[in-house]
Amino acid sequence: MANKNMKPVDVVIVGFGWTGAIMAKEMTEAGQRVVALERGVYRDTYPDGAYPKTINELEYQQRFKLFQNLNKSSFTFRRKTGDSAIPYRQIAMFKPGEGVGGAGLHWSGCHWRILPEELRMRSHYEERYGKNFIPKDMTLQDWGVSYEELEPYFDFAEKMMGTSGTAYRVGGKVVDESGNPFEADRSDNFPLPAQKEQYQAALFRKAAQQAGLHPFTLPSANAAAPYVNQYGCQMGPCTFCGFCSGYACYNYSKASPNVNIMPALRQSNLFELRSSCNVLRIELDSSRKKATGVTYVDINGDTVFQPASIVIASTFAYNNARLFLLSGIGKPYDPVSNTGAVGRNIAFQMMSTINAFFEPGKNINGFIGAGGNGVAVDDFNGDHMDHGPLGFVGGSPIWCNPSGSKPISGIAVPSGTPRWGRAWKQAVKDSYLNTMSFDVHGANMVYRDVYVDLDPNYKDAFGQPLLRFTFDWKDNDIRMSRYVTDQAVKIAHELKAREIKVTVKDFGAAPDLRSYQTTHWAGGVAMGTDPSTSVVNRYLQSWDVHNVFAVGSGVFAQGIGYNPTGAAVALTYWSARAIREQYLNDPRPLVQA
Amino acid sequence: MKKISISPDRRRFLRGALTAAPVAALAVTAGSLTAKAEGPSPDQPYQPSFFNRDEFALLSALADTLIPADDTGPGALQAGVPEFIDAQMNTPYGQGQLWYMQGPFTPDAPPEFGYQLPYPPRELYKKGLAEFDAAIRQQYGHGYVELNTQQREKMMAEFEKGEQGSLKMATIPPSALFNLLLQNVHEGYFCDPTDGGNRGMGSWKMIGFPGARADYYDWVDQYGKSYPLPPISRG
């Protein structure tokens, strides 16, 4: 029970990363009094990301300075229902964020939209390949919102983040053939031109062209030039320092909630941010259909009740499912009876990597890097190739995204190199400046037996159950990854390198908590049109408790090929618009179940 | 500063280290009192703050085998790797405060679930080094420190094989200790000198990493050129 009660506010926001910051901005603009609660510490570019302090691989990348302290709270994993789950004790496979800015402070800046067909994946595949093409245990579903509806918010978010890129098509007209020909129509160009291209990205572009593919510049939320966004927040040009992913940007170049939204929010006397506040649950009234606020533990260890008229769950991906489960919002998913929706449709992403080793003297200079910058091909992403003869659902971009290679976290060496001794040393010396790498960063579909629920055995520092993942790699996804990786190998052969090393999953491979995949989890509180298979409606409003909204990649109905931030952020603006225009004056379920 | 006299134990360690790796031994024995100090000084032998002298000698010998000194670049001992690891044991990381350490523990979980022992790094080293030492002594009649280079490399290869190798440790799986050791050795070898290792930025010079320069705007599009500036440290 709470031992402290706060003054009621209009909106309480749980989690202060990208989606929480956007909601805070949107709601204060609408005149709402907003309190945001962030479980981690207060952070900002200064002093947390100041040069040279931030140029510290040991502290940031090895000791996970900006990431979740697993000592306080972690997750458990098992491959199958019925197995006992085992804790994720050290950060490796994915790197969850914590602190003001959340994952938006430590991300790289890869700022994609989403493919229109991914928003209506089941309908699209059934229309093109017939109803039987999607495997029976694959729980694909449409999201309930179209690309056309979201387009204005993708555009607005690019302008908010100062995204650098090359548009292919604007207003139905091709404006630059070097853009991504598979990209959906845009209402406007990127606010900044593409960043400079690093050597390995240029080599990748040429090789991909020679392989008959369509390379283009990755849209990057690392500013190519000085920029001021709609909120008056300023960015400086990226200097390719190579300390991007996992670090706060000392140049104010990488878009983050701290750089692109916080300076504007600070001007509002309607907004209050409380850091080091861990929300335990959303409180409901006796009808269980309305939230009254949230209960949290503050920095002093006091249990505090914050009353609010609207609760916005904007924690990272899967954590919204955990918060809903802990709060008794919606029905927990049960894979056996196939009922309930909270925790359902969890998806990850799977990567394969290709290293190309050149002779010493090539000077690829991989220490030069910008997190979101690089060159990609989309020929095998989404449904851009005919899946009919391929026999799998889903796809993947292939990209060379040189974000800056640093020595501690691992210098790629040719296959067969020992891990220590003189031969290792020589290989490290020969390889460090002369290696390039690129990735197949693929979609992960959703399955009836892949989900999250509350672990019965393990607890966090606040005595609450950890989130339990029941998760395994599936043949469909490995088939997809291996197919696209084969295409990537064709690109690699065009490079005429000394050696090519391919790291790709075998059928039956176990999820490996020791090796990094991505941090791109999706699902758990999926959006949709059917309350029996989704947790929130098309406006990201809880079907069960209408004054609770959930934002972030947890609402994705399934995994996507691109990095999720772009879609998560656009959906947040879409939801905010619905709250501002439809909900505030007339609080009610915005979609009738 | 006060000179620290050499004890009989220390003398024995020195002899062992010198036999095995004369170049590197200088750096180990002549480190400074804190891991963050600038460079070796013959007057101030490093006094480990966490490990005892025997453990530190063993740790140094292991690090020396993993990254030996040669013409390619500095070895782990010259770079101050053992001193780095010793200092790390007193950080929240060394104390296990960055890891989820609540039980129950399932040490026999499949390897893909990652580290599942109940020990933070400092305890894993204490237990692991003792068990490793006992295993070596059983086979050779004396410690790893006193083995010659070939014997050290042979036993390191068995150590690396983990539970599949011939090195049998009483309770700690050899792979758990080996993986931690290799990771920490890489950290101490390649970190910024202000973090307590990579003395003189020798490893950065070896591979061509410019360290904390962190501004390559003018170099991004100079394809294939050798970056002209030497590395700099954050400190």
Side-chain angles (χ1 to χ4, degrees):
Chain A
M1 276 294 106
N3 53 21
K4 209 165 150 185
N5 281 289
M6 305 301 282
K7 231 174 84 182
V9 293
D10 298 315
V11 180
V12 68
I13 292 176
V14 185
F16 197 76
W18 270 126
T19 59
I22 288 169
M23 276 294 185
K25 185 76 181 79
E26 289 282 321
M27 293 303 113
T28 51
E29 280 180 18
Q32 301 289 294
R33 282 165 302 148
V34 175
V35 162
L37 301 167
E38 163 58 40
R39 66 179 169 171
V41 298
Y42 186 82
R43 285 205 178 99
D44 210 345
T45 303
Y46 185 84
D48 304 282
Y51 181 88
K53 186 177 153 184
T54 194
I55 307 302
N56 186 341
E57 188 185 8
L58 182 72
E59 188 172 10
Y60 287 81
Q61 212 153 326
Q62 300 295 112
R63 303 287 180 261
F64 307 110
K65 173 85 185 282
L66 301 185
F67 298 104
Q68 177 174 339
N69 184 349
L70 295 191
N71 200 244
K72 278 193 184 161
S73 184
S74 187
F75 314 88
T76 64
F77 277 84
R78 58 180 183 173
R79 292 181 77 175
K80 284 177 181 52
T81 308
D83 292 354
S84 354
I86 292 170
Y88 181 58
R89 296 194 180 274
Q90 303 172 343
I91 289 181
M93 183 171 82
F94 59 103
K95 299 178 174 176
E98 196 174 83
V100 168
L105 191 58
H106 73 69
W107 74 319
S108 295
C110 294
H111 188 189
W112 301 95
R113 293 188 171 196
I114 190 172
L115 300 172
E117 65 265 30
E118 285 180 314
L119 291 167
R120 52 188 303 278
M121 195 113 171
R122 178 164 286 279
S123 300
H124 175 91
Y125 268 80
E126 287 183 354
E127 282 158 19
R128 186 166 174 188
Y129 303 110
K131 283 210 180 281
N132 295 327
F133 191 79
I134 299 170
K136 219 172 137 247
D137 63 340
M138 194 185 284
T139 51
L140 289 186
Q141 60 200 47
D142 296 354
W143 300 36
V145 63
S146 71
Y147 175 80
E148 289 69 28
E149 285 173 305
L150 289 181
E151 203 287 332
Y153 306 102
F154 282 116
D155 181 66
F156 189 86
E158 285 163 2
K159 286 169 177 155
M160 182 270 284
M161 293 194 196
T163 302
S164 310
T166 306
Y168 180 79
R169 196 184 289 108
V170 175
K173 267 179 58 182
V174 175
V175 293
D176 190 333
E177 289 193 344
S178 73
N180 178 8
F182 298 100
E183 185 182 72
D185 197 30
R186 307 166 52 89
S187 58
D188 200 357
N189 213 323
F190 289 98
L192 288 174
Q195 289 185 271
K196 288 188 184 188
E197 196 158 296
Q198 295 116 306
Y199 189 22
Q200 53 185 309
L203 290 170
F204 178 84
R205 180 186 293 276
K206 192 169 158 223
Q209 259 155 4
Q210 284 165 348
L213 304 173
H214 301 86
F216 61 92
T217 307
L218 272 79
S220 152
N222 311 131
Y227 184 72
V228 180
N229 74 6
Q230 310 93 318
Y231 303 147
C233 302
Q234 301 182 36
M235 303 176 79
C238 168
T239 58
F240 295 83
C241 78
F243 288 76
C244 207
S245 187
Y247 302 81
C249 175
Y250 76 87
N251 274 323
Y252 298 81
S253 307
K254 177 172 71 175
S256 68
N258 316 61
V259 168
N260 297 60
I261 300 177
M262 276 297 284
L265 262 181
R266 278 196 203 99
Q267 314 297 317
S268 171
N269 55 16
L270 292 173
F271 176 66
E272 186 190 344
L273 171 64
R274 297 180 200 146
S275 54
S276 300
C277 290
N278 196 93
V279 173
L280 302 178
R281 64 193 163 269
I282 299 169
E283 302 289 356
L284 305 179
D285 72 5
S286 56
S287 75
R288 314 288 298 166
K289 290 188 177 338
K290 200 154 176 264
T292 55
V294 301
T295 298
Y296 65 93
V297 177
D298 73 8
I299 193 167
N300 303 316
D302 287 328
T303 306
V304 182
F305 177 59
Q306 173 62 62
S309 307
I310 296 176
V311 177
I312 293 170
S314 55
T315 68
F316 186 74
Y318 41 67
N319 282 333
N320 275 351
R322 180 170 182 245
L323 186 59
F324 276 36
L325 290 167
L326 290 170
S327 310
I329 297 175
K331 192 174 170 194
Y333 175 62
D334 173 6
V336 179
S337 62
N338 203 15
T339 58
V342 184
R344 186 178 178 275
N345 277 25
I346 277 284
F348 197 27
Q349 284 186 313
M350 65 160 59
M351 273 173 74
S352 66
T353 298
I354 293 181
N355 295 112
F357 299 92
F358 296 91
E359 295 296 338
K362 180 82 171 174
N363 294 326
I364 298 279
N365 295 342
F367 54 83
I368 298 175
N373 189 221
V375 170
V377 296
D378 241 0
D379 299 60
F380 310 103
N381 191 20
D383 192 30
H384 301 154
M385 67 291 202
D386 181 2
H387 281 73
L390 299 176
F392 60 76
V393 173
S396 174
I398 306 171
W399 64 44
C400 178
N401 170 215
S403 59
S405 59
K406 293 167 285 293
I408 303 175
S409 46
I411 296 174
V413 287
S415 310
T417 305
R419 292 162 76 198
W420 51 273
R422 287 179 169 76
W424 168 80
K425 235 171 124 184
Q426 187 65 47
V428 155
K429 184 185 179 181
D430 291 345
S431 302
Y432 180 64
L433 296 179
N434 307 300
T435 305
M436 64 177 277
S437 74
F438 51 102
D439 300 314
V440 171
H441 178 276
N444 176 223
M445 293 299 114
V446 284
Y447 298 88
R448 180 167 166 171
D449 58 356
V450 172
Y451 62 103
V452 290
D453 62 1
L454 297 177
D455 191 280
N457 299 315
Y458 291 95
K459 294 194 165 33
D460 68 11
F462 304 95
Q464 305 223 100
L466 299 188
L467 192 67
R468 174 173 68 178
F469 286 76
T470 303
F471 175 80
D472 206 356
W473 297 122
K474 301 287 187 174
D475 282 357
N476 173 87
D477 302 40
I478 292 176
R479 205 173 300 129
M480 181 283 290
S481 180
R482 294 183 74 87
Y483 170 77
V484 183
T485 304
D486 283 346
Q487 313 311 310
V489 169
K490 290 178 192 166
I491 302 175
H493 285 316
E494 300 290 342
L495 292 166
K496 310 278 183 276
R498 174 163 64 103
E499 193 193 317
I500 303 290
K501 185 159 99 181
V502 182
T503 310
V504 65
K505 279 183 187 55
D506 289 322
F507 290 101
D512 192 335
L513 302 187
R514 298 165 300 178
S515 64
Y516 187 67
Q517 278 295 310
T518 70
T519 302
H520 305 152
W521 286 101
V525 290
M527 65 189 294
T529 53
D530 177 355
S532 71
T533 56
S534 59
V535 177
V536 294
N537 64 28
R538 71 194 298 260
Y539 299 112
L540 314 188
Q541 178 185 37
S542 160
W543 287 110
D544 301 275
V545 181
H546 70 74
N547 63 338
V548 171
F549 292 78
V551 286
S553 65
V555 305
F556 290 8
Q558 82 273 333
I560 65 175
Y562 294 147
N563 307 45
T565 301
V569 160
L571 282 165
T572 304
Y573 278 114
W574 156 257
S575 173
R577 184 61 42 177
I579 297 171
R580 289 177 70 165
E581 294 180 354
Q582 299 182 56
Y583 189 78
L584 288 181
N585 291 331
D586 183 11
R588 67 192 190 285
L590 298 176
V591 179
Q592 283 309 320
Chain B
M1 197 170 283
K2 190 183 159 215
K3 284 195 179 181
I4 295 157
S5 62
I6 296 179
S7 69
D9 278 359
R10 187 80 184 159
R11 220 169 273 131
R12 202 158 51 233
F13 158 57
L14 272 175
R15 255 201 317 276
L18 282 167
T19 323
V23 179
L26 267 181
V28 182
T29 56
S32 48
L33 284 168
T34 72
K36 291 200 174 186
E38 282 306 305
S41 142
D43 293 339
Q44 301 168 18
Y46 180 76
Q47 297 295 303
S49 61
F50 171 73
F51 294 105
N52 67 35
R53 265 175 290 180
D54 287 342
E55 290 161 350
F56 192 71
L58 173 54
L59 180 70
S60 300
L62 289 166
D64 182 44
T65 309
L66 291 172
I67 310 185
D70 60 14
D71 294 344
T72 310
L77 302 187
Q78 287 166 304
V81 168
E83 292 90 328
F84 166 85
I85 297 175
D86 181 55
Q88 284 293 306
M89 293 305 105
N90 296 319
T91 65
Y93 163 76
Q95 291 154 356
Q97 289 168 23
L98 307 186
W99 297 352
Y100 184 75
M101 293 301 283
Q102 288 192 38
F105 288 88
T106 42
D108 53 348
E112 62 267 18
F113 285 94
Y115 185 71
Q116 293 294 336
L117 297 178
Y119 313 118
R122 42 164 47 208
E123 285 181 42
L124 186 63
Y125 272 117
K126 280 273 178 189
K127 278 179 147 332
L129 289 176
E131 292 183 7
F132 179 87
D133 186 56
I136 297 290
R137 281 180 195 281
Q138 192 165 25
Q139 186 158 342
Y140 287 96
H142 45 71
Y144 188 81
V145 171
E146 287 148 273
L147 302 184
N148 65 35
T149 305
Q150 286 70 32
Q151 290 168 323
R152 286 183 179 192
E153 286 177 352
K154 181 170 170 262
M155 289 320 296
M156 185 63 82
E158 294 306 312
F159 187 22
E160 184 185 15
K161 284 182 203 157
E163 289 71 273
Q164 276 71 52
S166 66
L167 188 83
K168 302 295 175 206
M169 288 164 48
T171 62
I172 300 289
S175 59
L177 181 64
F178 180 86
N179 290 336
L180 181 72
L181 175 70
L182 189 64
Q183 186 201 324
N184 291 158
V185 164
H186 285 177
E187 288 168 353
Y189 191 63
F190 285 125
C191 66
D192 192 290
T194 54
D195 295 319
N198 190 16
R199 209 174 273 155
M201 295 183 279
S203 70
W204 289 357
K205 288 172 191 158
M206 174 181 87
I207 60 170
F209 177 58
R213 291 210 173 264
D215 179 353
Y216 307 109
Y217 192 80
D218 296 333
W219 286 93
V220 179
D221 38 16
Q222 307 226 24
Y223 296 165
K225 281 201 184 156
S226 175
Y227 184 75
L229 302 176
I232 53 168
S233 161
R234 206 175 62 237

